[in-house]
Coordinates of all heavy atoms in Angstrom, one line a residue:
A55 N 24.7 137.2 60.8 CA 23.7 137.1 61.9 C 24.0 138.0 63.0 O 23.1 138.7 63.6 CB 23.5 135.7 62.3
L56 N 25.3 138.0 63.4 CA 25.8 138.9 64.5 C 25.5 140.3 64.2 O 25.0 141.1 65.0 CB 27.2 138.6 64.8 CG 27.9 139.3 65.9 CD1 29.0 138.5 66.6 CD2 28.6 140.6 65.4
G57 N 25.8 140.7 62.9 CA 25.6 142.1 62.6 C 24.2 142.5 62.6 O 23.8 143.6 63.0
L58 N 23.3 141.6 62.1 CA 21.9 142.0 62.1 C 21.3 142.0 63.5 O 20.3 142.8 63.8 CB 21.1 140.9 61.3 CG 21.4 140.9 59.8 CD1 20.7 139.7 59.1 CD2 21.0 142.2 59.2
T59 N 21.8 141.2 64.4 CA 21.3 141.2 65.8 C 21.9 142.2 66.7 O 21.3 142.9 67.5 CB 21.5 139.7 66.4 OG1 20.9 138.8 65.6 CG2 20.9 139.6 67.8
N60 N 23.3 142.3 66.7 CA 24.0 143.1 67.7 C 24.0 144.6 67.3 O 24.3 145.4 68.1 CB 25.4 142.6 67.8 CG 25.5 141.2 68.5 OD1 24.5 140.5 68.5 ND2 26.6 140.8 69.0
D61 N 23.8 144.9 66.0 CA 24.0 146.2 65.5 C 22.9 147.1 66.2 O 21.7 146.8 66.3 CB 23.7 146.3 64.0 CG 24.0 147.7 63.4 OD1 23.1 148.6 63.5 OD2 25.2 147.9 62.9
S62 N 23.4 148.3 66.8 CA 22.6 149.2 67.5 C 21.5 149.8 66.7 O 20.4 150.2 67.2 CB 23.4 150.3 68.2 OG 24.1 151.0 67.2
H63 N 21.7 149.9 65.4 CA 20.7 150.5 64.5 C 19.7 149.5 64.0 O 18.5 149.8 63.9 CB 21.4 151.2 63.3 CG 22.3 152.3 63.7 ND1 21.9 153.5 64.2 CD2 23.7 152.4 63.7 CE1 22.9 154.3 64.5 NE2 24.0 153.6 64.1
L64 N 20.1 148.3 63.7 CA 19.2 147.3 63.2 C 18.5 146.6 64.4 O 17.3 146.7 64.5 CB 20.0 146.3 62.3 CG 20.5 146.9 61.0 CD1 21.3 145.8 60.3 CD2 19.3 147.3 60.1
G65 N 19.4 145.9 65.2 CA 18.9 145.3 66.4 C 17.7 144.3 66.1 O 16.7 144.3 66.8
L66 N 17.8 143.5 65.0 CA 16.7 142.6 64.7 C 16.5 141.5 65.7 O 17.5 141.1 66.4 CB 16.9 142.0 63.3 CG 16.9 143.0 62.1 CD1 17.2 142.2 60.9 CD2 15.6 143.7 62.0
P67 N 15.3 141.0 65.9 CA 15.2 139.8 66.8 C 16.1 138.7 66.3 O 16.3 138.5 65.1 CB 13.7 139.5 66.7 CG 13.0 140.7 66.3 CD 14.0 141.5 65.4
F68 N 16.5 137.9 67.3 CA 17.5 136.8 66.9 C 17.0 135.9 65.8 O 17.8 135.7 64.9 CB 17.8 136.0 68.2 CG 18.7 134.8 68.0 CD1 20.0 135.0 67.8 CD2 18.2 133.5 67.9 CE1 20.9 133.9 67.5 CE2 19.0 132.4 67.7 CZ 20.4 132.6 67.5
W69 N 15.8 135.4 65.9 CA 15.3 134.5 64.9 C 15.1 135.2 63.5 O 15.4 134.5 62.5 CB 14.0 133.9 65.3 CG 14.1 133.2 66.7 CD1 13.6 133.5 67.9 CD2 14.9 132.0 66.9 NE1 14.0 132.7 68.9 CE2 14.8 131.7 68.3 CE3 15.7 131.2 66.1 CZ2 15.5 130.7 68.9 CZ3 16.4 130.1 66.7 CH2 16.2 129.9 68.1
V70 N 14.8 136.4 63.5 CA 14.7 137.2 62.2 C 16.1 137.3 61.6 O 16.3 137.2 60.4 CB 14.0 138.5 62.4 CG1 14.0 139.3 61.1 CG2 12.6 138.4 63.0
A71 N 17.0 137.6 62.5 CA 18.4 137.8 62.0 C 18.9 136.4 61.4 O 19.7 136.4 60.4 CB 19.3 138.2 63.1
C72 N 18.6 135.3 62.1 CA 19.0 134.0 61.6 C 18.4 133.8 60.2 O 19.2 133.3 59.3 CB 18.5 132.9 62.5 SG 19.3 132.9 64.1
I73 N 17.2 134.1 60.0 CA 16.6 133.9 58.6 C 17.2 134.8 57.6 O 17.5 134.4 56.5 CB 15.0 134.2 58.7 CG1 14.3 133.1 59.6 CG2 14.4 134.2 57.3 CD1 12.9 133.5 59.9
G74 N 17.5 136.0 58.0 CA 18.2 136.9 57.1 C 19.6 136.4 56.7 O 20.0 136.5 55.6
A75 N 20.3 135.9 57.7 CA 21.7 135.4 57.5 C 21.7 134.2 56.6 O 22.5 134.1 55.6 CB 22.4 135.1 58.8
V76 N 20.8 133.3 56.8 CA 20.7 132.1 56.0 C 20.3 132.4 54.5 O 20.9 131.9 53.6 CB 19.6 131.1 56.6 CG1 19.3 130.0 55.6 CG2 20.1 130.5 57.9
T77 N 19.4 133.4 54.4 CA 19.0 133.8 53.0 C 20.2 134.5 52.3 O 20.4 134.3 51.1 CB 17.8 134.8 53.1 OG1 16.7 134.2 53.8 CG2 17.4 135.2 51.7
A78 N 20.9 135.4 53.1 CA 22.0 136.1 52.5 C 23.1 135.1 52.0 O 23.7 135.3 50.9 CB 22.6 137.1 53.5
M79 N 23.4 134.1 52.8 CA 24.4 133.2 52.4 C 24.0 132.3 51.3 O 24.8 131.8 50.5 CB 24.9 132.3 53.6 CG 25.5 133.2 54.8 SD 26.7 134.4 54.2 CE 28.0 133.3 53.6
A80 N 22.7 132.0 51.2 CA 22.2 131.2 50.1 C 22.4 132.0 48.8 O 22.8 131.5 47.7 CB 20.7 130.8 50.3
V81 N 22.1 133.3 48.8 CA 22.2 134.2 47.7 C 23.7 134.3 47.3 O 24.1 134.2 46.1 CB 21.6 135.6 47.9 CG1 22.0 136.5 46.8 CG2 20.1 135.5 48.1
L82 N 24.6 134.4 48.3 CA 26.0 134.5 48.1 C 26.6 133.2 47.4 O 27.4 133.3 46.5 CB 26.8 134.8 49.4 CG 28.3 135.0 49.3 CD1 28.6 136.1 48.4 CD2 28.9 135.2 50.7
G83 N 26.1 132.1 47.9 CA 26.5 130.8 47.3 C 26.1 130.7 45.8 O 26.9 130.3 45.0
W84 N 24.8 131.1 45.6 CA 24.3 131.1 44.2 C 25.1 132.0 43.3 O 25.5 131.7 42.2 CB 22.9 131.5 44.2 CG 22.2 131.5 42.8 CD1 21.8 130.4 42.1 CD2 22.1 132.6 42.0 NE1 21.3 130.8 40.9 CE2 21.5 132.1 40.8 CE3 22.4 134.0 42.1 CZ2 21.1 133.0 39.7 CZ3 22.0 134.8 41.1 CH2 21.4 134.3 39.9
L85 N 25.4 133.2 43.8 CA 26.2 134.2 43.0 C 27.6 133.7 42.7 O 28.1 134.0 41.6 CB 26.2 135.6 43.8 CG 24.9 136.4 43.8 CD1 25.1 137.6 44.7 CD2 24.5 136.8 42.4
L86 N 28.2 133.1 43.7 CA 29.6 132.6 43.5 C 29.6 131.6 42.4 O 30.4 131.6 41.5 CB 30.1 131.9 44.8 CG 31.4 131.2 44.7 CD1 32.5 132.2 44.3 CD2 31.7 130.5 46.0
E87 N 28.6 130.6 42.4 CA 28.5 129.6 41.3 C 28.2 130.3 40.0 O 28.8 130.0 38.9 CB 27.5 128.6 41.7 CG 27.6 127.3 40.8 CD 26.9 127.5 39.4 OE1 25.9 128.3 39.3 OE2 27.2 126.8 38.5
R88 N 27.2 131.2 40.0 CA 26.7 131.8 38.7 C 27.8 132.7 38.1 O 27.9 132.7 36.8 CB 25.5 132.6 39.0 CG 24.8 133.3 37.8 CD 24.3 132.2 36.9 NE 23.7 132.8 35.7 CZ 24.3 133.2 34.6 NH1 25.7 133.0 34.6 NH2 23.7 133.7 33.6
S89 N 28.5 133.5 38.9 CA 29.3 134.5 38.3 C 30.8 134.1 38.1 O 31.5 134.6 37.3 CB 29.3 135.8 39.2 OG 29.8 135.5 40.5
V90 N 31.2 133.1 38.9 CA 32.7 132.7 38.9 C 32.9 131.3 38.5 O 33.5 131.0 37.5 CB 33.3 133.0 40.3 CG1 34.8 132.5 40.3 CG2 33.2 134.4 40.7
L91 N 32.3 130.3 39.2 CA 32.6 128.9 39.0 C 32.0 128.4 37.7 O 32.6 127.5 37.1 CB 32.1 128.1 40.2 CG 32.8 128.5 41.5 CD1 32.1 127.8 42.7 CD2 34.3 128.0 41.5
R92 N 30.9 128.9 37.3 CA 30.3 128.5 36.0 C 31.2 128.8 34.9 O 31.2 128.1 33.8 CB 28.9 129.1 35.8 CG 28.1 128.5 34.7 CD 26.7 129.0 34.6 NE 25.9 128.6 35.8 CZ 24.6 128.8 35.9 NH1 24.0 129.4 34.9 NH2 24.0 128.4 37.0
R93 N 32.1 129.8 35.0 CA 33.0 130.1 33.9 C 34.1 129.2 33.8 O 34.8 129.1 32.7 CB 33.5 131.6 34.2 CG 32.4 132.6 34.2 CD 33.0 134.0 34.4 NE 32.0 135.0 34.5 CZ 31.4 135.6 33.5 NH1 31.8 135.4 32.3 NH2 30.5 136.5 33.7
V94 N 34.4 128.4 34.9 CA 35.5 127.4 34.8 C 35.0 126.0 34.8 O 35.7 125.0 35.0 CB 36.5 127.6 36.0 CG1 37.2 128.9 35.9 CG2 35.8 127.4 37.3
F95 N 33.6 125.9 34.5 CA 33.0 124.5 34.4 C 33.7 123.7 33.3 O 33.9 124.2 32.2 CB 31.5 124.7 34.1 CG 30.8 123.3 34.2 CD1 30.5 122.8 35.4 CD2 30.4 122.7 33.0 CE1 29.8 121.6 35.5 CE2 29.8 121.5 33.1 CZ 29.5 120.9 34.3
G96 N 34.1 122.5 33.7 CA 34.8 121.6 32.8 C 36.3 121.7 32.8 O 37.0 120.9 32.2
Q97 N 36.8 122.7 33.6 CA 38.3 122.9 33.7 C 38.7 121.9 34.8 O 37.9 121.2 35.4 CB 38.6 124.3 34.1 CG 38.2 125.4 33.1 CD 38.9 125.2 31.8 OE1 40.1 124.9 31.7 NE2 38.2 125.4 30.7
S98 N 40.0 121.9 35.0 CA 40.6 121.0 36.0 C 40.1 121.3 37.4 O 39.8 122.5 37.7 CB 42.1 121.0 35.9 OG 42.6 122.3 36.3
Q99 N 40.2 120.3 38.3 CA 39.8 120.6 39.7 C 40.6 121.6 40.4 O 40.1 122.3 41.2 CB 39.9 119.2 40.5 CG 38.7 118.3 40.2 CD 37.5 118.7 41.0 OE1 37.5 119.7 41.8 NE2 36.4 118.0 40.7
I100 N 41.9 121.7 40.0 CA 42.8 122.6 40.6 C 42.3 124.1 40.5 O 42.5 124.9 41.3 CB 44.2 122.5 40.1 CG1 45.2 123.2 41.0 CG2 44.4 122.9 38.7 CD1 45.3 122.7 42.4
A101 N 41.7 124.4 39.3 CA 41.2 125.7 39.1 C 40.1 126.1 40.1 O 40.1 127.2 40.7 CB 40.6 125.8 37.7
V102 N 39.2 125.1 40.4 CA 38.1 125.4 41.3 C 38.7 125.5 42.7 O 38.3 126.3 43.5 CB 37.1 124.2 41.3 CG1 36.0 124.4 42.3 CG2 36.4 124.2 39.9
V103 N 39.6 124.6 43.0 CA 40.3 124.7 44.4 C 40.9 126.0 44.6 O 40.7 126.6 45.7 CB 41.3 123.5 44.5 CG1 42.2 123.7 45.8 CG2 40.6 122.2 44.5
I104 N 41.7 126.5 43.7 CA 42.3 127.8 43.8 C 41.3 128.9 43.9 O 41.4 129.8 44.8 CB 43.3 128.1 42.6 CG1 44.4 127.1 42.7 CG2 43.8 129.5 42.7 CD1 45.3 127.1 41.5
L105 N 40.3 128.9 43.1 CA 39.2 129.9 43.2 C 38.5 129.9 44.5 O 38.3 131.0 45.1 CB 38.2 129.7 42.1 CG 38.6 130.2 40.7 CD1 37.6 129.8 39.6 CD2 38.7 131.7 40.7
T106 N 38.2 128.8 45.1 CA 37.5 128.7 46.3 C 38.4 129.1 47.5 O 37.9 129.8 48.5 CB 36.8 127.3 46.6 OG1 37.8 126.3 46.5 CG2 35.7 127.1 45.6
I107 N 39.6 128.7 47.4 CA 40.6 129.2 48.5 C 40.7 130.7 48.5 O 40.7 131.3 49.5 CB 41.9 128.5 48.3 CG1 41.9 127.0 48.6 CG2 43.0 129.2 49.2 CD1 43.1 126.2 48.3
A108 N 40.8 131.2 47.3 CA 40.9 132.7 47.1 C 39.7 133.4 47.6 O 39.7 134.4 48.3 CB 41.2 133.1 45.7
F109 N 38.5 132.8 47.3 CA 37.2 133.4 47.8 C 37.2 133.3 49.3 O 36.6 134.3 49.9 CB 36.1 132.6 47.2 CG 34.7 133.2 47.5 CD1 34.3 134.5 47.0 CD2 33.8 132.6 48.3 CE1 33.1 135.0 47.3 CE2 32.6 133.1 48.6 CZ 32.2 134.3 48.1
G110 N 37.7 132.2 49.9 CA 37.7 132.2 51.4 C 38.5 133.2 52.0 O 38.1 133.8 53.0
F111 N 39.7 133.5 51.4 CA 40.5 134.6 51.9 C 39.8 135.9 51.8 O 39.9 136.8 52.7 CB 41.8 134.7 51.1 CG 42.9 133.8 51.6 CD1 43.3 132.7 50.8 CD2 43.5 134.0 52.8 CE1 44.3 131.8 51.3 CE2 44.5 133.2 53.3 CZ 44.9 132.1 52.5
L112 N 39.1 136.2 50.7 CA 38.3 137.4 50.5 C 37.3 137.6 51.6 O 37.0 138.7 52.1 CB 37.7 137.5 49.1 CG 38.6 137.6 47.9 CD1 37.9 137.6 46.6 CD2 39.4 139.0 48.0
L113 N 36.6 136.5 51.9 CA 35.6 136.5 53.0 C 36.2 136.9 54.3 O 35.6 137.6 55.1 CB 34.8 135.2 53.1 CG 33.9 134.9 51.9 CD1 33.2 133.5 52.1 CD2 32.8 135.9 51.8
R114 N 37.4 136.3 54.6 CA 38.1 136.6 55.9 C 38.5 138.0 55.9 O 38.3 138.7 56.9 CB 39.3 135.7 56.0 CG 39.0 134.4 56.8 CD 40.2 133.5 56.9 NE 40.1 132.5 55.9 CZ 41.1 131.7 55.6 NH1 42.3 131.8 56.2 NH2 41.0 130.7 54.7
I115 N 39.0 138.6 54.8 CA 39.4 140.0 54.7 C 38.2 140.9 54.9 O 38.2 141.9 55.7 CB 40.1 140.3 53.4 CG1 41.4 139.6 53.3 CG2 40.3 141.8 53.2 CD1 42.1 139.6 52.0
A116 N 37.1 140.5 54.2 CA 35.8 141.3 54.3 C 35.3 141.3 55.8 O 34.9 142.4 56.3 CB 34.8 140.8 53.4
A117 N 35.3 140.2 56.4 CA 34.8 140.1 57.8 C 35.7 140.9 58.7 O 35.2 141.6 59.6 CB 34.8 138.6 58.3
G118 N 37.0 140.9 58.5 CA 37.9 141.7 59.3 C 37.7 143.2 59.1 O 37.8 143.9 60.1
L119 N 37.5 143.6 57.9 CA 37.3 145.0 57.6 C 35.9 145.5 58.2 O 35.8 146.6 58.7 CB 37.3 145.3 56.1 CG 38.6 145.1 55.4 CD1 38.5 145.2 53.9 CD2 39.6 146.1 56.0
I120 N 34.9 144.7 58.2 CA 33.6 145.1 58.6 C 33.4 145.0 60.1 O 33.0 145.9 60.8 CB 32.5 144.3 57.9 CG1 32.5 144.5 56.4 CG2 31.1 144.6 58.5 CD1 31.6 143.5 55.6
W121 N 33.8 143.8 60.7 CA 33.6 143.6 62.1 C 34.9 143.6 63.0 O 34.8 143.4 64.2 CB 32.9 142.2 62.3 CG 31.5 142.3 61.7 CD1 30.4 142.9 62.3 CD2 31.0 141.7 60.5 NE1 29.3 142.7 61.5 CE2 29.6 142.0 60.4 CE3 31.6 141.0 59.5 CZ2 28.8 141.6 59.3 CZ3 30.8 140.6 58.4 CH2 29.5 140.9 58.3
G122 N 36.0 143.7 62.3 CA 37.3 143.7 63.1 C 37.8 142.3 63.3 O 37.1 141.3 62.9
H123 N 38.9 142.2 64.0 CA 39.6 140.9 64.2 C 39.5 140.4 65.6 O 40.0 139.3 65.9 CB 41.1 141.0 63.7 CG 41.2 141.3 62.3 ND1 41.2 140.3 61.3 CD2 41.4 142.4 61.6 CE1 41.4 140.8 60.1 NE2 41.5 142.1 60.2
D124 N 38.9 141.2 66.5 CA 38.7 140.7 67.9 C 37.5 139.8 68.0 O 36.5 139.9 67.2 CB 38.5 141.9 68.8 CG 39.7 142.9 68.9 OD1 40.8 142.3 68.8 OD2 39.5 144.1 69.0
P125 N 37.6 138.8 68.8 CA 36.5 137.9 69.0 C 35.2 138.6 69.4 O 35.2 139.5 70.3 CB 37.0 136.9 70.1 CG 38.5 137.0 70.1 CD 38.8 138.4 69.7

Side-chain angles (χ1 to χ4, degrees):
L56 183 146
L58 294 175
T59 302
N60 294 20
D61 188 276
S62 58
H63 298 291
L64 294 174
L66 295 177
F68 176 74
W69 302 112
V70 176
C72 291
I73 294 172
V76 171
T77 304
M79 297 312 297
V81 172
L82 181 60
W84 180 83
L85 286 174
L86 174 62
E87 192 280 334
R88 181 67 181 84
S89 60
V90 178
L91 295 169
R92 191 171 295 188
R93 298 179 184 276
V94 296
F95 186 76
Q97 301 296 320
S98 66
Q99 280 284 353
I100 192 65
V102 177
V103 169
I104 292 173
L105 278 173
T106 54
I107 290 175
F109 184 70
F111 275 113
L112 289 176
L113 287 178
R114 265 177 263 170
I115 293 170
L119 290 174
I120 298 171
W121 291 284
H123 295 275
D124 295 328

